[in-house]
Amino acid sequence: YLKISKLALAFAIIHSKPPGKSAKEYAEYLAKTVPEQDFGWKWKAEVLEAEVLRLRQELLLNRISPRFCLENRKQDASAETLLGQESINPTSCSSQLEDSGCDVCNDSAFDSLVIASDFHQSEHINTSKHWLERVPPLDLYHTSKEQSVTAAVHFLQRLLEIRKLSEGEVLQADFSELENDSFTICNSVSQLLDGLTVFYNSPKFPPPSFLTEGVRVLISLITDTKLSNHVLKKCFKKMEEFQKNLIQIILRNKSVNRFQALHSVSETLGLLGRNNILRNSLISLLLSEVRQFAEQLLQAHQVQSLYDINQYENISFLCMILEQLLQNETEESNISISDYGGEEKIKFLKNLDQIILHLSDEFPLFSLYLWRVSVLLNSGQMQ
């Protein structure tokens, strides 16, 4: 059947080839054209899926707080008027837009942006400050990863804003709707996490403002007492995968000028560890990676073989994050650290004294890190 199909295709190409082209040239042209067309359809489908998600986000916000979306629509006309005045009075209009804190691509606007915790709890909300961040429909011909991340950031920002306004009794909101539409919240968080992973893999300095804002929104979301349970219950596996990706980005980075980028990733991991649920899984992941590297380093040292010097330098970032999480736990909580890490903690402490003894002369700094972590783990066990 396959031979007959190939033969039929060959005859079809020969009979349909245009004048002046050989069958081989025409076949090569078709081989190049067909994949391009397939890629175009795939790209269009992805863009349409992104637009469907944006519409579902709008619908979910409307279900949670109809008044919020009503005020948002009312402000569309005034926003258009305000934007139209820019050509008449660009200075005043520019200052108003920067104060809105909604232009995530403007550094000065981002610097003045305040997360949901700083929203005023008054009845009279400054609409130019809050409602101008309505997300426009996606450009079906010029969409990008940056646009998808920005769209997710805007949606989660508005969700946090509704949360704060409802807490101040400015708006009525029904967050039980998040339970009824897990698809939208999960896909929005996944979109944000995937985008952050892409940009952390190929960092740019200074980092784009939407990346920094994405991290801030993510941290606000998982630390909000009302929203974090809804989000983590639906997206815990995705959040754990994101933590694993960040750890691997730290370990595998071999660029010469990598330490500024690794410091940024480390800060994000430390912020994620502030959440009690994520802290447990993050400590386990870090204990596992540090233990495995320590065992590999000991084996290489005993047989006098080569080891990855870049990974040796990078592992210090994981040790510092781990120490910070354990230190914060002992200082800020009455919960014993023995509850954290579980099986990974037992594996980490097993034979650790022997590992430190054999590595201390050749690798004193790493041995010191291991000892400090072990002290924190054992002190938690003694509480």
Side-chain angles (χ1 to χ4, degrees):
Y1 176 79
L2 183 60
K3 290 181 180 179
I4 294 173
S5 299
K6 290 181 178 179
L7 185 61
L9 178 60
F11 274 113
I13 291 174
I14 292 172
H15 282 295
S16 62
K17 72 179 183 67
K21 272 193 176 182
S22 67
K24 180 180 179 181
E25 291 173 340
Y26 188 52
E28 291 174 348
Y29 166 77
L30 292 176
K32 181 180 178 182
T33 304
V34 172
E36 290 178 352
Q37 292 177 345
D38 290 343
F39 177 78
W41 283 111
K42 180 181 179 182
W43 173 76
K44 289 179 182 178
E46 290 175 352
V47 174
L48 292 172
E49 286 176 356
E51 178 63 8
V52 169
L53 177 60
R54 187 194 68 82
L55 294 173
R56 292 190 65 146
Q57 290 170 345
E58 293 285 343
L59 181 60
L60 179 58
L61 292 175
N62 185 68
R63 288 176 177 171
I64 293 174
S65 180
R67 181 187 162 191
F68 178 89
C69 294
L70 178 62
E71 292 291 338
N72 198 10
R73 286 192 292 271
K74 284 180 179 179
Q75 290 302 319
D76 283 346
S78 60
E80 290 174 4
T81 303
L82 181 62
L83 293 172
Q85 290 174 350
E86 186 174 3
S87 59
I88 302 174
N89 189 1
T91 304
S92 62
C93 183
S94 175
S95 63
Q96 290 180 18
L97 287 177
E98 289 181 358
D99 286 344
S100 72
C102 302
D103 183 3
V104 295
C105 295
N106 185 305
D107 288 339
S108 60
F110 167 70
D111 291 338
S112 65
L113 181 63
V114 181
I115 296 301
S117 60
D118 291 332
F119 285 128
H120 294 296
Q121 298 181 3
S122 61
E123 252 183 72
H124 303 288
I125 301 300
N126 182 351
T127 54
S128 68
K129 189 177 182 67
H130 294 285
W131 309 118
L132 288 181
E133 63 177 74
R134 184 174 183 270
V135 183
L138 292 177
D139 185 342
L140 298 182
Y141 298 99
H142 299 90
T143 189
S144 64
K145 177 61 72 175
E146 179 177 336
Q147 274 188 316
S148 63
V149 174
T150 303
V153 169
H154 273 301
F155 167 67
L156 297 174
Q157 277 178 329
R158 295 163 74 192
L159 190 63
L160 287 164
E161 184 174 353
I162 293 175
R163 164 76 176 101
K164 195 62 183 180
L165 293 174
S166 66
E167 188 180 47
E169 299 182 353
V170 178
L171 286 176
Q172 289 186 346
D174 181 12
F175 289 99
S176 64
E177 289 293 337
L178 292 175
E179 295 285 348
N180 301 327
D181 192 359
S182 59
F183 173 87
T184 300
I185 190 69
C186 284
N187 277 267
S188 299
V189 173
S190 296
Q191 197 175 59
L192 175 58
L193 297 180
D194 290 341
L196 292 177
T197 302
V198 168
F199 287 105
Y200 274 133
N201 264 314
S202 303
K204 299 177 182 178
F205 293 99
S209 55
F210 70 87
L211 175 65
T212 311
E213 184 60 21
V215 174
R216 293 178 64 183
V217 168
L218 178 64
I219 300 306
S220 296
L221 193 66
I222 64 172
T223 53
D224 187 283
T225 55
K226 188 82 171 182
L227 297 177
S228 60
N229 289 335
H230 291 288
V231 173
L232 291 177
K233 184 162 55 175
K234 307 292 183 182
C235 312
F236 178 77
K237 288 186 178 180
K238 187 67 180 182
M239 294 292 296
E240 192 172 40
E241 179 186 342
F242 178 61
Q243 292 180 140
K244 290 178 181 178
N245 289 335
L246 294 187
I247 290 174
Q248 292 306 313
I249 287 173
I250 291 176
L251 284 176
R252 296 176 181 177
N253 197 315
K254 296 184 178 182
S255 62
V256 176
N257 301 315
R258 64 185 181 274
F259 297 108
Q260 185 178 2
L262 296 187
H263 178 71
S264 177
V265 180
S266 300
E267 283 189 334
T268 300
L269 277 172
L271 291 172
L272 291 174
R274 291 182 180 180
N275 181 277
N276 291 333
I277 298 176
L278 293 177
R279 184 189 297 121
N280 193 358
S281 63
L282 181 55
I283 288 177
S284 294
L285 291 171
L286 292 171
L287 285 173
S288 175
E289 292 293 343
V290 173
R291 174 184 58 81
Q292 291 179 40
F293 179 80
E295 293 173 351
Q296 293 169 6
L297 187 63
L298 175 61
Q299 184 178 5
H301 177 63
Q302 288 175 337
V303 298
Q304 296 297 305
S305 64
L306 297 176
Y307 62 93
D308 190 335
I309 184 63
N310 293 301
Q311 198 171 61
Y312 175 75
E313 293 174 344
N314 296 342
I315 199 71
S316 61
F317 286 93
L318 300 189
C319 292
M320 286 187 287
I321 299 168
L322 182 56
E323 183 179 352
Q324 176 190 354
L325 294 176
L326 296 175
Q327 185 69 38
N328 290 344
E329 189 60 32
T330 56
E331 291 177 354
E332 301 174 6
S333 175
N334 292 325
I335 300 175
S336 172
I337 297 178
S338 61
D339 296 334
Y340 290 90
E343 183 180 350
E344 285 301 333
K345 178 194 169 183
I346 297 174
K347 291 180 180 179
F348 183 87
L349 292 175
K350 185 179 180 181
N351 300 325
L352 184 64
D353 291 339
Q354 291 297 319
I355 293 176
I356 294 175
L357 178 63
H358 286 90
L359 295 180
S360 57
D361 289 338
E362 190 73 21
F363 307 99
L365 181 59
F366 180 58
S367 300
L368 179 61
Y369 277 129
L370 293 178
W371 176 77
R372 288 164 67 97
V373 170
S374 68
V375 168
L376 288 170
L377 288 172
N378 287 321
S379 66
Q381 192 170 15
M382 293 169 59
Q383 289 181 354

